[in-house]
Amino acid sequence: MTFSKEFKEALSCLPDKEKDKLLFRLLKKDKILSKRLEFELISPSTVEDQRAEMEQKVEEKVKHFSDRFYSLGYLNMDIRYLSGEITEHVKVTKDKFGEASLNLLLMKEVLKHNNKNIINTGSSRQFSKLGVALVARVYRILILIEKLDQDYFIEFEDHLKDLGLLIEDNPRLMKMCISTGLDINWLIQGNIPEDIPEHYKYARAEGYLSARNY
């Protein structure tokens, strides 16, 4: 949304008390903006502190819902919910490194605790929904890492390899990766193609990332 010069001037001429009332009224309707301002203006913690807290939360929550595994559908819902918390962290802190590292951690923890559940549980239809969602997440993680300064890559290398080996140990998920064009060697060998966004776009355009096609 753009604002006219006249509107901006009129707002700047409002009394300070009136501005404060309007600001607080708007902040009540925008949770992310209010949390971002609170973080930027008064929080004693750094982005790294917030990221470390989020890492602990991811590990604890994945273990919690994995210990109480019920179905592939519920697992998918739990992953989406926790992914939403990561997204909120990124919007509040503008943590671009954490956007990649936390989502990578989420995928690793999910497969570490649930590979057996994914392999042995659920119908083909139930797995296809989860499998497509997981593969799409891996694609997006690779895109996020590729966007970062290459000096950061060394910090992801071992974790990408771990994730690749976890996928390799899951025949169901490995088959899904092959079907969608996701080369696990990109993870295991630490060799993300520069045109990874194009690979992702192609997979989506061809319907490979739609559960209805499996």
Side-chain angles (χ1 to χ4, degrees):
M1 180 182 294
T2 57
F3 302 106
S4 68
K5 181 180 178 182
E6 292 77 12
F7 180 57
K8 291 179 181 178
E9 290 176 350
L11 282 177
S12 66
C13 291
L14 286 173
D16 288 342
K17 287 186 177 181
E18 188 64 24
K19 288 181 187 177
D20 290 343
K21 286 181 182 179
L22 289 171
L23 177 61
F24 288 123
R25 188 181 301 170
L26 291 170
L27 288 176
K28 284 181 180 179
K29 297 180 179 180
D30 193 331
K31 181 180 73 170
I32 298 298
L33 178 58
S34 54
K35 284 189 173 184
R36 182 192 298 172
L37 288 175
E38 183 177 7
F39 172 71
E40 292 177 350
L41 296 174
I42 64 172
S43 175
S45 62
T46 64
V47 172
E48 290 74 17
D49 294 333
Q50 293 289 314
R51 186 191 307 145
E53 286 185 21
M54 197 66 214
E55 287 171 354
Q56 184 176 355
K57 181 182 288 188
V58 168
E59 291 173 349
E60 291 175 351
K61 289 200 171 185
V62 172
K63 187 175 187 309
H64 176 78
F65 64 64
S66 300
D67 287 344
R68 291 156 180 77
F69 176 83
Y70 178 73
S71 71
L72 296 185
Y74 276 96
L75 176 61
N76 204 9
M77 289 171 57
D78 288 331
I79 295 169
R80 285 202 304 266
Y81 179 81
L82 192 46
S83 178
E85 292 198 41
I86 293 174
T87 298
E88 181 174 308
H89 159 81
V90 173
K91 288 181 178 179
V92 169
T93 62
K94 301 179 183 178
D95 183 11
K96 291 299 182 183
F97 180 89
E99 185 176 15
S101 67
L102 290 168
N103 277 289
L104 179 54
L105 175 64
L106 173 60
M107 280 294 301
K108 278 181 55 182
E109 292 296 304
V110 165
L111 294 185
K112 182 175 76 175
H113 292 288
N114 290 280
N115 251 352
K116 288 183 179 179
N117 294 327
I118 295 170
I119 294 168
N120 300 317
T121 308
S123 64
S124 296
R125 183 171 178 273
Q126 290 170 331
F127 167 73
S128 64
K129 290 183 178 180
L130 174 65
V132 164
L134 294 178
V135 170
R137 288 182 188 282
V138 176
Y139 264 117
R140 290 194 289 267
I141 289 166
L142 295 179
I143 291 170
L144 289 171
I145 293 173
E146 180 61 25
K147 285 181 179 178
L148 294 172
D149 190 302
Q150 289 305 300
D151 290 342
Y152 287 122
F153 184 77
I154 192 171
E155 299 189 45
F156 292 102
E157 201 165 7
D158 289 341
H159 301 293
L160 284 171
K161 183 177 180 179
D162 291 342
L163 177 57
L165 293 174
L166 283 165
I167 294 173
E168 197 173 54
D169 286 340
N170 188 322
R172 255 182 156 180
L173 193 55
M174 188 67 190
K175 185 177 178 181
M176 179 70 73
C177 289
I178 293 170
S179 298
T180 58
L182 178 64
D183 189 344
I184 295 304
N185 288 317
W186 295 339
L187 287 74
I188 295 175
Q189 297 175 6
N191 185 25
I192 304 174
E194 293 182 2
D195 62 344
I196 186 65
E198 299 308 313
H199 287 273
Y200 178 58
K201 288 178 184 177
Y202 177 79
R204 290 189 62 186
E206 293 297 312
Y208 300 147
L209 294 175
S210 173
R212 290 175 296 181
N213 293 329
Y214 295 94

